[in-house]
Structures are given as structure tokens and as C-alpha cells.
Amino acid sequence: MDYLKIGSREFRSRLIVGSGKYKSLEETADATKASGAEIITVAIRRMNIGQSRTEPNILEYIDPNQYTLLPNTAGCYDAASAVRTCLLAQELLDGHNFVKLEVIGDKKTLFPDVRETIIAAEELLKRNFEVLAYTTDDPIIAKNLEVIGCAAVMPLASPIGSGLGIQNEYTIKTIVENAQVPIIIDAGLGTASDASQAMEFGCDAVLVNSAIAKSKQPILMAEAMAAATRAGRLAYLAGRMEKKYNAEPSSPNEGKID
């Protein structure tokens, strides 16, 4: 099996899905099932996983025995609040230490504050968290996050929720080529072909939320993302043919008897 290995965990699916922006928690559950994903992210500052008794609990719709929850720190703008959010998630989830770290630096672009991200990652790693870090597409920052011990690095393809697809092919490929930990595209994918392209570049996985939740038919798009992610991975493993700038017949004439 071509397993995705992140820290101490292994997964069969290379598609990670988000839980936000759906019309209802029922739709979240249905789309997650259709995606075949094994990991689902949950924004602790925006989604109830037990901290509120008066709001619907997503764990009533997403079974933690069936899916691996990936609590994330969406909405945090400094390292301290991100660390607190992860500690809250750990307490609510009985010691769960598998987290997605994001520390936002700008409210308009939602680009990450890489300095605060590194500070938070170092603190969480001291506390034995397995950290998947959302970051810019800077190859140097990506390598720094790897070196300090992050279990995976998650560069953006384009701004969160934009659906613009991969706008930075060169830097994403550079990050992948130099990485010794999984590289997971996080943010900006808009449709199935974007997921396939990321996987063909050699990324280890993709995280998709808005592209599914905001599509006209989320269940169908979830299925499309699953198929595209797998197709892109298989194409990467197969190795594409060499590009040429002249035509070559499918049935060569060499050796043919006239």
C-alpha cells in the first residue's frame, strides 16, 4: 500500500478535508464520507467539539473512531493563542496531540505570520505535539519548519478560500524537491484538476475545504476530489513522459519493411 505517513500515523487516503463552510453538519458528514478522507480538520475557535453545551457538536456527526481529527488554530494571530488553542483541543479530545498549526498575519490575505508560526511550533513540539504547519510557499521557511521537527509542512497554493488554484508552481516544486517530511498543499485549490496537479508535482497530500463546501454539489465535488487526488498520485508515481518540441508518430517507421 502507498501509505501517507505523517509523524507516527499512517493513512491510505491522501485527501484531507475541512469541516467548515457547509450548509449544515449533516452536509459536512455526507461530503466527508463521499471524499473517502481519513483526516478532517476542525477549527477549535469556530467549531464546537464539546466546549459548548448549547451548540451542535460536530463529533455527533463525525465519528472520531472512524476519522482522525486534526484540530486547527484558525483565527489565531499570535503564537500564544495558537498554543492555548491546541492545549484546549488536547484537553477536549483526551490527550489528542495531532494538530494543524496556523497563525495568521494579515486579515485581508490570511497569509500566515511565519515568525509567530515558528515560535508556536517550537513550543508545541516541546509539549510532544505532532505539528502540521501552515505556511507561505517560501522554500526556506518550509525547510526551517521541517528542521525544528514539524511532522508535515503545509504551504499555500494561493490565498485561503480563493479557489485560484496553484499560483506558485516553481516554489511548490522546490519545496517538494528539498523536503524530508510530507508536503501537503493547504489553501487555494478550487477544483479537482488543481488537486491532481498538486499531486503530480509530488506533493504528498492536499487539504481541501472551500472547493468542496462552496461548490454547487458538495457531495459530487468530494467524490471528484478523491478521484483527482488518487489520479495525480498515480501519475506522479508512474512518471510522465518526456516533453518534446516536435511530433513523434505513435507507430514509428524505424525497422519497417517497405
Side-chain angles (χ1 to χ4, degrees), residues 151-229:
V153 177
M154 306 178 76
L156 53 80
S158 53
I160 292 174
S162 68
L164 290 172
I166 299 175
Q167 297 292 306
N168 44 9
E169 178 178 340
Y170 171 76
T171 50
I172 292 297
K173 286 183 175 180
T174 301
I175 290 171
V176 169
E177 290 170 0
N178 292 296
Q180 299 299 317
V181 297
I183 300 301
I184 302 169
I185 286 293
D186 178 16
L189 302 186
T191 191
S193 57
D194 296 334
S196 181
Q197 183 182 41
M199 298 306 295
E200 289 180 27
F201 286 169
C203 295
D204 296 276
V206 293
L207 193 159
V208 182
N209 187 182
S210 298
I212 298 176
K214 304 301 287 185
S215 67
K216 294 179 180 178
Q217 297 190 53
I219 311 306
L220 196 58
M221 183 60 81
E223 294 178 5
M225 286 293 183
T229 300

Side-chain angles (χ1 to χ4, degrees), residues 80-255:
S81 62
V83 171
R84 284 197 303 271
T85 301
C86 289
L87 292 173
L88 173 61
Q90 186 176 56
E91 181 178 350
L92 291 169
L93 297 173
D94 299 322
H96 191 75
N97 71 335
F98 192 61
V99 296
K100 177 193 167 188
L101 172 65
E102 51 183 285
V103 183
I104 301 302
D106 178 70
K107 291 184 179 181
K108 181 179 179 180
T109 64
L110 298 182
F111 271 35
D113 183 326
V114 293
R115 181 179 62 179
E116 291 293 302
T117 298
I118 291 174
I119 293 171
E122 289 175 331
E123 180 60 29
L124 290 168
L125 291 165
K126 291 177 184 176
R127 296 172 180 266
N128 296 318
F129 279 86
E130 292 188 293
V131 178
L132 290 71
Y134 167 62
T135 184
T136 61
D137 61 323
D138 185 330
I140 306 304
I141 297 299
K143 178 56 71 172
N144 286 343
L145 289 165
E146 175 188 322
V147 168
I148 66 174
C150 289
V153 177
M154 306 178 76
L156 53 80
S158 53
I160 292 174
S162 68
L164 290 172
I166 299 175
Q167 297 292 306
N168 44 9
E169 178 178 340
Y170 171 76
T171 50
I172 292 297
K173 286 183 175 180
T174 301
I175 290 171
V176 169
E177 290 170 0
N178 292 296
Q180 299 299 317
V181 297
I183 300 301
I184 302 169
I185 286 293
D186 178 16
L189 302 186
T191 191
S193 57
D194 296 334
S196 181
Q197 183 182 41
M199 298 306 295
E200 289 180 27
F201 286 169
C203 295
D204 296 276
V206 293
L207 193 159
V208 182
N209 187 182
S210 298
I212 298 176
K214 304 301 287 185
S215 67
K216 294 179 180 178
Q217 297 190 53
I219 311 306
L220 196 58
M221 183 60 81
E223 294 178 5
M225 286 293 183
T229 300
R230 176 163 171 74
R233 176 64 178 177
L234 290 176
Y236 170 73
L237 293 175
R240 68 161 293 145
M241 65 172 288
E242 179 185 354
K243 291 182 179 180
K244 298 182 178 181
Y245 294 93
N246 57 284
E248 182 178 294
S250 298
S251 300
N253 291 321
E254 287 84 354

